[in-house]
Amino acid sequence: MTAARDAEDSALGVEIRIHGMGDHRPMDSIGSGPVVASRFPRGPDTMLAPELPSSHELRLLNWSRTSRRHARGAIWFAALPFSLVNVAGQMADAREGVTPSAKNLALVVCVNLVGLLATLTGLFWLLLIAETVLDYLAAGGREGIGQWTVIFVFVAYAISIVIRHAYLHRRWRARRQVGGVGDGERGVNFWLTGLHVLSVLVAGALVVAFPPTRLRVPSPEYLALFTYPRPHDPSDRMAAEEFCRRAATDPSFDTYVNPVNSWIVGSVLLTGIIALVLVALSFGRRETPKRTELAGAAMALSAAMGLMHALGGSLRLAIEWILTYLDRFDLFGWFDRATGLRGGRTYVRGADLGCDVASGEWLPNSFAGLAVLGLLVFAVTFGLTNLVGAGKAGAPASLRLVDVWRYTHRLVASIPSRLGVTVVIAWLLWTGLFVLLALWRARGGAGSTLAVVLVAHAGAIVVVLFLFFNGTARRLGSTVADIIGFWPVRWHPLSGRSYRAPVLNGIRDELSQLEGRRVLLAGHSQGSVIAAWFVGVHGTPERKVDLVTCGSPLYSLYAHFFPAYFDATFFGRVRDHSAGWANFWRETDPVATPITEAAFRDDPLDDPPWGEKSMNVQMDQEELRDIRAWNRPANHGNYWADPIQRGYVAGRLKPQTAQQDE
């Protein structure tokens, strides 16, 4: 009996479903059945259970937990700006043996420049936070403690980069030794890591040798944002209130460079120039279609620098608020701001944040709000540019939900050609708003400074709460994290970890357990990218599996923004290494598109998919019309329940005995 049962099981094919982006529970890939009786809002709806395959075995590969394990926690989010730089680098063609074009070489240079700038910006915020803490400690007034703090910060930062590089390389070697999939996770090139370490050490040495806060400059009104007042004698220690009072009237105060505002404005401005250069290169006359990856890299690099300053400024301000509260109490004599670094020798921190002299330091405190403003400006610009270009997509046939989603599908397909224009307009609008805000603050005095800081952080808090509590926003955040986490660390040593290699190893383990049985990998959305990558990169002609991609962004997203990896050669390898490749998509799915040139079969599916074939019950035409009316369009979801896709999978995995009988 056991031998007969084993022989029967080995004759059954196996379908391995791989879910898409976002958080998923273990059983989500089963799909959902149709609503057969709608009583909402007067009462509950009645749904049929999803139909499970009877002719083959079904396994559900849930990689959501693996992705969330890699993309969660304070450390991963702190590394998010570096991860965005890493994603921008993946848009370049840096494969070995490939001669880069001039535009591709320009992209590589721009990514590395912003990567170095992001590394130095991280060092800048660490130094600023360290000096903020010392300013509230009694020990901060000791001679030389500021200098040793700076030395400790930049040495520790450089060592952390080296440790990160060594960790990634060691993990890659461990995977290779056990026969696992390394999948490009060896880490950043040794020389690139060395360049980042060297830049940190050189920057630290320059800060110690030539403290930016000691650089005297003229004080014309148009430079007020970049200067701050300071007494001639740096050993003249005074309380914060006394400093603020004397700074506005005492002629013994000179004006010095404000390193905080200067670095923020300089780094953001340089990143903006680099982004505009990339967008300009994307509009080459000889290239059709436009090089979307250049505009995509410009967007990612801009977001990286904005997020870097937003995180640093918010963290520093939160720490200062806590220290201000603790300074009211005599806790072991630790806190005494009057004898701290204020009035002593600081290196990057200038005027007191509570003073309304010259520029004050409202900019680092309010940059989180400015970053949110930039996000809103980009979103509005994105919507307007696509509405202007909506004529190419044609108008919706009607206001029915199905027709609206079909229109959205056509509109999304045309977005890549307008992304560069969106980035340019958004940058110009945000810069203009920033200048207006700076002028208003300069003329409004202390009240406007407080208003800017409070409004900026109130806006940032509202956005964070919205992202945390709103389900759609959380799914969008998970989607972005899944796209970022797909790419291994290569372009920045402090980038967040990738989930790709562990997930690919999980697929490899499944296939090793199913040796001798026919296997079909079915991937939805991001799961289709994972499945296609496994087949195309790690598959072999000797062990072919069937492949089904549904709701796939392989062409609409990855082929446009990562053409070095998802090109015609890649799609050809996927086709050659698979026993059969079928791609299913819907005209109502904003993401999915046909892949006609590569897939063996490329079918558009109906939406809603429910019909008589999808249920094991007999229904007349009136009942079927009710069901289709009660069920909203599935657009990007529930491909698992579509009868056409289920029928194709069942046919490919039909038991060998049944195939022989036919």
Side-chain angles (χ1 to χ4, degrees), residues 147 220 261 465 521 580 610 635:
Q147 178 177 346
N261 291 354
L465 292 176
L521 292 179
W610 312 115
N635 48 75

Side-chain angles (χ1 to χ4, degrees), residues 105-420:
L105 186 60
L107 176 56
V108 172
V109 171
C110 290
V111 168
N112 285 320
L113 281 176
V114 177
L116 289 171
L117 199 60
T119 299
L120 295 178
T121 300
L123 174 64
F124 160 79
W125 282 111
L126 288 176
L127 291 174
L128 187 57
I129 290 171
E131 289 194 344
T132 299
V133 173
L134 284 178
D135 193 25
Y136 282 82
L137 299 181
R142 296 176 184 174
E143 190 68 29
I145 192 171
Q147 178 177 346
W148 284 109
T149 300
V150 171
I151 294 174
F152 172 79
V153 168
F154 76 73
V155 170
Y157 192 51
I159 292 176
S160 68
I161 296 175
V162 174
I163 293 175
R164 174 66 171 166
H165 177 92
Y167 167 75
L168 291 173
H169 184 71
R170 181 179 179 182
R171 191 177 65 172
W172 174 80
R173 290 186 61 184
R175 276 209 183 97
R176 300 284 291 189
Q177 289 174 357
V178 298
V181 175
D183 201 53
E185 283 204 353
R186 187 171 184 174
V188 183
N189 179 276
F190 173 81
W191 296 108
L192 182 57
T193 299
L195 184 60
H196 281 267
V197 173
L198 180 63
S199 67
V200 169
L201 296 178
V202 170
L206 290 174
V207 168
V208 172
F210 309 99
T213 55
R214 307 307 298 169
L215 299 177
R216 295 181 59 182
V217 293
S219 57
E221 185 177 356
Y222 61 86
L223 287 179
L225 182 63
F226 307 103
T227 60
Y228 79 103
R230 190 162 186 159
H232 283 302
D233 184 6
S235 63
D236 184 8
R237 295 184 174 88
M238 62 193 76
E241 295 80 4
E242 177 69 9
F243 174 83
C244 293
R245 184 185 64 79
R246 288 177 55 187
T249 58
D250 196 333
S252 66
F253 280 71
D254 293 322
T255 53
Y256 292 82
V257 169
N258 185 329
V260 178
N261 291 354
S262 299
W263 182 263
I264 292 176
V265 173
S267 59
V268 171
L269 181 62
L270 181 57
T271 303
I273 293 173
I274 290 174
L276 296 179
V277 168
L278 290 176
V279 172
L281 292 176
S282 72
F283 288 100
R285 296 180 179 179
R286 298 180 180 179
E287 294 184 276
T288 302
K290 299 179 179 67
R291 296 194 58 169
T292 312
E293 74 274 15
L294 295 174
M299 181 178 64
L301 295 176
S302 302
M305 188 54 60
L307 187 59
M308 194 80 202
H309 286 300
L311 291 175
S314 298
L315 179 61
R316 195 215 66 81
L317 185 59
I319 291 175
E320 182 169 47
W321 283 346
I322 295 173
L323 292 174
T324 301
Y325 177 76
L326 295 177
D327 190 39
R328 300 178 180 180
F329 309 97
D330 186 16
L331 298 178
F332 311 106
W334 290 352
F335 296 93
D336 186 4
R337 197 181 184 203
T339 59
L341 283 180
R342 180 64 54 221
R345 188 179 179 86
T346 60
Y347 287 81
V348 295
R349 192 165 187 236
D352 184 84
L353 296 179
C355 299
D356 186 52
V357 291
S359 67
E361 288 193 354
W362 61 273
L363 182 56
N365 288 350
S366 59
F367 202 90
L370 293 174
V372 171
L373 177 63
L375 179 63
L376 295 177
V377 167
F378 178 83
V380 172
T381 306
F382 184 81
L384 292 177
T385 54
N386 285 288
L387 284 177
V388 171
K392 298 180 180 179
S398 69
L399 294 180
R400 290 190 314 143
L401 202 54
V402 172
D403 291 327
V404 171
W405 278 111
R406 287 172 180 164
Y407 167 73
T408 305
H409 172 87
R410 298 193 300 270
L411 187 62
V412 171
S414 62
I415 283 177
S417 62
R418 293 187 293 276
L419 183 60

